[in-house]
Amino acid sequence: MEPFGMMDALGHEQVVFCRDEASGLKAIIAIHDTTLGPSLGGCRMFDYRSEAEALTDVLRLSRGMTYKAAIAGLDLGGGKAVIVGPRSSKSEAMFRAFGRFVDALGGRYITAEDMNTNEQDMEFIGRETRWVTGRSPAAGGTGNPGPVTAWGVFHGLRGALHHATGSPSVEGRTVAIQGLGNVGYGLAKHLRDAGAELLLCDVNQQSVERALDELGGEPVEGDDFYRAPCDVLAPCAVGGVISARTIPMVQASIICGGANNILDDEDRDGQALRARGIVYAPDYVVNGGGIMSVNGELRGESRDKVLADAARIYETVREVLGRADREDLTSVRASNLLAEARIAAIGSVKGLWTGKV
Amino acid sequence: MEPFGMMDALGHEQVVFCRDEASGLKAIIAIHDTTLGPSLGGCRMFDYRSEAEALTDVLRLSRGMTYKAAIAGLDLGGGKAVIVGPRSSKSEAMFRAFGRFVDALGGRYITAEDMNTNEQDMEFIGRETRWVTGRSPAAGGTGNPGPVTAWGVFHGLRGALHHATGSPSVEGRTVAIQGLGNVGYGLAKHLRDAGAELLLCDVNQQSVERALDELGGEPVEGDDFYRAPCDVLAPCAVGGVISARTIPMVQASIICGGANNILDDEDRDGQALRARGIVYAPDYVVNGGGIMSVNGELRGESRDKVLADAARIYETVREVLGRADREDLTSVRASNLLAEARIAAIGSVKGLWTGKV
């Protein structure tokens, strides 16, 4: 494990190893790129098998946040934190110690909920630092960003439809949704309201029944999701579901969902989808409503402003897919290039002297 | 290389890997313990053969600074930084990038000159952060801490004499000094003024001749320094000089000098000296005037206050050597225990609520 070697390869600015003996805290904070603004990304907790595994995870995730914030048009950089250990080792002291390390970075890293961390943990962090966001309304935050994410995915899906068919209208289109949590259910509702047909799928059968009752549509199960005869597949649950195994099953012409890391292997699966003529709207572009919500909370923006920004994912998806076609790139590669170009351009603007000495 | 494993073993709070692609900066900042106050320690530059070697060095050095500051009675913790690379890669941009990383730690780490870094480098760092000290008078600092260090070594030597002989007086005592730089020459002058006989040694023959002209005394060369028939050996040049090879040569009853890491192997050589009945005044206690000078600059203390503090190294050395005898410990072990006890005690006081909400 060579931190500088990995930082070189992925382009990181700073990696901070934090340890508090009294509470047992061991955390790594990775700050990938702060050209656009302070780095933001969730703090997950996981019982990694090794330090190298924890470092690899936090470096990879923080880099992803740089691209997500940049393509969302936000003034944020990419960061992420991991706390090493089992959930059973959680304590107030541990999260407050973590909060003090976050605070000592003076705002260069802003934290939030993530895998295995919750509102209560953020509340403890928030007693030690103001650099925590995505907090509950009770704690002065705007709460769950899921509804904004769902609104953004809906508009991203309209953008993908426009690109593929010439019209953004979802009326009469069939969309299969995998995962009926905050984002998937919200997306289903927006689609139903706009006249789409729904195929609904969730590991929890009660969630499916509730959604069918409230929204209508048909259930699908297991691999039938991938084989569904429909226009759009929308994975909104776990990552890695579009893979060498499932791509041959796909009949839809578009994949566009709210889950993170939908592709099992970004390059290989992106190319396979392109070869089959299936339009893939990059997940991190499509689900950018979440970071917009958190950004809005940080900057005190109105809910209307945040929702209007999320609706603009429609245009971003069209731009990304257009560039992918023009330059014969995977859509992820195209959106990465757009994100990198924005970072370089804004970095240049920031180099201009503004009269302060 | 497992950073957390090494941090566990040595008791570190925080290790920060810093990278700036444009200037080529790669630096590690290690913050060992901030119980007493902000961590302070120099920034050295070295072309390490591996990342693991750089990390090991910065962890070891920062831990040493915790003990040095604690035994000196200062409100400072231990820190250190290493910039990885050859001196030929130095640039204004590199040190300013480093300064920005120091600044982003908000004062948890305060930097200073060290091996292969100089006043010019600190000046560049100081354009980006106020958390740099030990600066030149031209840059608003108090300049070279060498004279304060020499004054502290002189009083530490008096403490060791008092412990070994019952009297602190250096009059008529013979002291062999290795290294006639700022500290060694300053020590020689204080000793001569107080009536001691001098044996002087330096790799630079001109330095020896100048000192003999100005202060009197006799020259010694090479291994004759270790064999010198005298009361005190005062290594004030490089580290590692008191070793399994040189200890059998020693005729003096006291070793007390201003160099860092005088013992080649702290445990082995400390025990060998104890077995031979030779009093060793721990280097990091004796040369604490340097950090007192830097601390005084940080806090705006008068020169008189700083010199009075350095003179109190006399009492500290007596306390350390007394404890070592009472508990049959090496003197380094005794001073480590005193430093740890002070950190624990002040840490407890800091836990008291003071009425602010």
Side-chain angles (χ1 to χ4, degrees):
Chain A
M1 176 163 88
E2 302 280 282
F4 281 128
M6 295 168 74
M7 291 166 76
D8 277 345
L10 295 174
H12 282 74
E13 289 177 9
Q14 191 174 7
V15 178
V16 186
F17 289 77
C18 310
R19 175 179 170 275
D20 176 60
E21 189 163 327
S23 66
L25 173 76
K26 282 181 190 165
I28 311 176
I29 300 171
I31 297 176
H32 178 257
D33 188 300
T34 59
T35 305
L36 296 178
S39 70
L40 182 141
C43 169
R44 60 173 52 180
M45 186 161 185
F46 193 75
D47 199 8
Y48 294 98
R49 284 166 302 181
S50 69
E51 291 190 29
E53 189 183 59
L55 181 63
T56 302
D57 203 35
V58 76
L59 290 179
R60 191 179 56 79
L61 293 166
S62 56
R63 181 169 183 272
M65 292 305 293
T66 293
Y67 285 88
K68 181 180 277 203
I71 201 78
L74 303 175
D75 291 335
L76 293 174
K80 201 87 183 182
V82 296
I83 295 179
V84 179
R87 270 200 286 186
S88 58
S89 66
K90 274 191 185 181
S91 69
E92 175 182 351
M94 178 180 281
F95 283 96
R96 290 183 73 160
F98 177 72
R100 291 175 78 105
F101 280 113
V102 170
D103 200 60
L105 290 170
R108 267 177 65 75
Y109 168 66
I110 302 168
T111 197
E113 270 184 56
D114 206 284
M115 185 201 293
N116 292 336
T117 58
N118 60 32
E119 274 184 17
Q120 174 66 78
D121 303 331
M122 295 304 120
E123 206 267 308
F124 291 141
I125 293 170
R127 293 190 197 181
E128 301 293 342
T129 185
R130 53 181 287 227
W131 304 115
V132 51
T133 189
R135 300 186 65 187
S136 69
T142 54
N144 186 344
V148 181
T149 307
W151 185 239
V153 176
F154 173 65
H155 287 282
L157 193 153
R158 291 175 65 248
L161 268 173
H162 195 157
H163 177 83
T165 71
S167 161
S169 174
V170 302
E171 200 172 348
R173 299 288 182 187
T174 302
V175 181
I177 301 177
Q178 181 185 57
L180 296 167
N182 276 306
V183 176
Y185 184 88
L187 172 64
K189 195 160 185 312
H190 293 308
L191 287 167
R192 196 275 319 260
D193 292 348
E197 305 293 325
L198 302 175
L199 298 173
L200 303 178
C201 167
D202 197 290
V203 289
N204 181 335
Q205 204 46 46
Q206 286 187 316
S207 297
V208 177
E209 279 158 25
R210 193 194 64 149
L212 292 173
D213 277 356
E214 292 173 8
L215 306 174
E218 299 289 331
V220 284
E221 271 187 60
D223 280 352
D224 287 344
F225 167 75
Y226 308 105
R227 297 192 192 96
C230 62
D231 299 288
V232 184
L233 289 186
C236 297
V238 296
V241 292
I242 301 300
S243 65
R245 185 182 80 82
T246 58
I247 289 173
M249 307 178 190
V250 175
Q251 299 188 44
S253 55
I254 296 171
I255 297 175
C256 174
N260 282 314
N261 307 310
I262 286 175
L263 302 186
D264 183 39
D265 181 308
E266 210 166 77
D267 274 343
R268 182 199 64 201
D269 300 329
Q271 281 161 16
L273 290 170
R274 189 156 185 82
R276 284 207 47 201
I278 298 166
V279 169
Y280 173 64
D283 49 7
Y284 79 82
V285 180
V286 165
N287 67 21
I291 195 171
M292 291 174 185
S293 172
V294 157
N295 179 68
E297 177 179 327
L298 268 177
R299 302 185 194 271
E301 293 175 352
S302 72
R303 182 81 170 175
D304 284 351
K305 159 81 164 72
V306 171
L307 289 171
D309 285 347
R312 227 167 283 129
I313 292 175
Y314 167 76
E315 276 101 25
T316 308
V317 165
R318 291 188 63 197
E319 188 181 358
V320 165
L321 297 176
R323 176 151 184 182
D325 280 0
R326 279 196 308 280
E327 302 183 18
D328 193 21
L329 305 168
T330 67
S331 53
V332 172
R333 181 84 189 112
S335 67
N336 287 355
L337 289 173
L338 287 167
E340 285 165 10
R342 177 165 181 256
I343 292 168
I346 305 303
S348 301
V349 171
K350 287 196 175 180
L352 294 176
W353 186 62
T354 53
K356 283 173 280 184
V357 178
Chain B
M1 178 164 84
E2 301 280 282
F4 281 129
M6 296 168 74
M7 290 166 75
D8 277 344
L10 295 174
H12 282 76
E13 288 178 9
Q14 192 174 6
V15 178
V16 186
F17 288 78
C18 310
R19 174 178 170 276
D20 177 60
E21 189 162 325
S23 65
L25 173 76
K26 283 180 189 166
I28 311 176
I29 300 171
I31 297 176
H32 179 258
D33 187 301
T34 58
T35 305
L36 296 177
S39 71
L40 183 142
C43 169
R44 60 173 53 179
M45 185 162 187
F46 193 75
D47 199 9
Y48 294 99
R49 283 165 303 179
S50 70
E51 291 191 29
E53 189 182 61
L55 181 63
T56 303
D57 203 35
V58 76
L59 290 179
R60 191 178 57 79
L61 293 167
S62 55
R63 181 169 184 272
M65 292 304 292
T66 294
Y67 285 88
K68 182 179 277 202
I71 201 76
L74 303 176
D75 292 335
L76 292 173
K80 202 87 183 184
V82 296
I83 295 178
V84 179
R87 269 199 288 186
S88 58
S89 66
K90 273 189 185 183
S91 69
E92 175 181 352
M94 177 180 283
F95 282 96
R96 290 183 71 160
F98 178 74
R100 292 176 77 106
F101 282 111
V102 170
D103 201 59
L105 291 171
R108 267 177 64 75
Y109 168 66
I110 303 167
T111 198
E113 271 185 55
D114 207 283
M115 186 200 293
N116 292 336
T117 59
N118 60 32
E119 274 183 18
Q120 174 68 77
D121 304 330
M122 296 304 121
E123 207 266 310
F124 291 141
I125 293 171
R127 293 191 198 182
E128 301 293 342
T129 185
R130 53 181 287 230
W131 304 115
V132 51
T133 188
R135 300 185 66 188
S136 69
T142 54
N144 185 347
V148 181
T149 306
W151 184 238
V153 176
F154 172 63
H155 287 282
L157 193 152
R158 290 176 65 249
L161 267 174
H162 195 158
H163 177 83
T165 71
S167 162
S169 173
V170 301
E171 199 172 349
R173 300 286 181 187
T174 302
V175 181
I177 301 176
Q178 182 186 55
L180 296 167
N182 275 305
V183 176
Y185 184 88
L187 173 63
K189 195 160 186 314
H190 293 309
L191 287 168
R192 195 277 316 262
D193 290 349
E197 305 294 324
L198 303 175
L199 298 173
L200 302 177
C201 166
D202 196 291
V203 288
N204 180 334
Q205 204 45 46
Q206 286 186 314
S207 297
V208 177
E209 278 159 25
R210 192 194 64 149
L212 292 173
D213 277 356
E214 293 173 7
L215 305 175
E218 298 291 330
V220 283
E221 271 189 62
D223 281 351
D224 287 343
F225 168 75
Y226 307 105
R227 298 191 192 99
C230 63
D231 298 289
V232 184
L233 290 186
C236 296
V238 296
V241 292
I242 301 300
S243 65
R245 186 183 79 82
T246 58
I247 289 174
M249 307 178 190
V250 175
Q251 299 189 44
S253 55
I254 296 171
I255 298 175
C256 174
N260 282 313
N261 306 313
I262 287 176
L263 302 187
D264 183 38
D265 181 308
E266 211 166 74
D267 275 342
R268 182 199 64 202
D269 299 328
Q271 281 161 15
L273 290 170
R274 187 155 186 81
R276 282 207 47 199
I278 298 167
V279 169
Y280 173 65
D283 49 7
Y284 79 82
V285 179
V286 165
N287 67 22
I291 196 171
M292 291 175 185
S293 172
V294 158
N295 178 69
E297 178 179 326
L298 269 177
R299 300 184 196 273
E301 294 175 351
S302 72
R303 183 81 170 174
D304 283 351
K305 161 81 163 71
V306 171
L307 289 172
D309 285 347
R312 227 167 282 127
I313 292 174
Y314 167 75
E315 277 99 24
T316 308
V317 165
R318 291 188 64 196
E319 188 181 359
V320 165
L321 297 177
R323 177 152 184 181
D325 279 0
R326 278 195 309 279
E327 303 183 16
D328 193 21
L329 304 168
T330 67
S331 53
V332 171
R333 181 83 189 113
S335 67
N336 287 356
L337 289 174
L338 287 167
E340 286 165 10
R342 177 166 180 254
I343 292 168
I346 305 302
S348 302
V349 170
K350 287 194 174 180
L352 295 176
W353 186 61
T354 51
K356 285 172 280 185
V357 177

